[in-house]
Amino acid sequence: METYLDLVLLRFGLIAAGLVALALTLFAAALALKRRGRLDQARRYADPALRAAARALKRRLEGGRR
């Protein structure tokens, strides 16, 4: 039982570390874009994709009902 709990804790730690690394990478990318003055341009490119992803997620959470 102790080994199982150790594996679960290790898995949680790896997932948390991955999320922190992803957040730091996104923050660094946003900071670099802002320093170069291209953050607004990146937002304009990303906006349609984010809206489509949000609509797809909403449909999935509603169970595919229209």
Side-chain angles (χ1 to χ4, degrees), residues 2 4 14 22 25 28 41 64:
E2 184 180 342
Y4 175 73
L14 289 173
L22 179 63
T25 303
Q41 184 180 4

Side-chain angles (χ1 to χ4, degrees), residues 9-19:
L9 184 60
L10 179 65
R11 184 181 72 168
F12 174 75
L14 289 173
I15 291 171
L19 290 174

Side-chain angles (χ1 to χ4, degrees), residues 13-54:
L14 289 173
I15 291 171
L19 290 174
V20 168
L22 179 63
L24 287 174
T25 303
L26 290 175
F27 178 73
L31 189 62
L33 286 171
K34 186 175 181 179
R35 285 187 179 178
R36 291 189 179 114
R38 306 243 173 163
L39 187 59
D40 290 332
Q41 184 180 4
R43 283 182 182 161
R44 280 196 306 270
Y45 285 135
D47 189 46
L50 291 175
R51 288 183 192 271

Side-chain angles (χ1 to χ4, degrees), residues 1-10:
M1 183 69 174
E2 184 180 342
T3 305
Y4 175 73
L5 292 175
D6 288 341
L7 290 175
V8 170
L9 184 60
L10 179 65

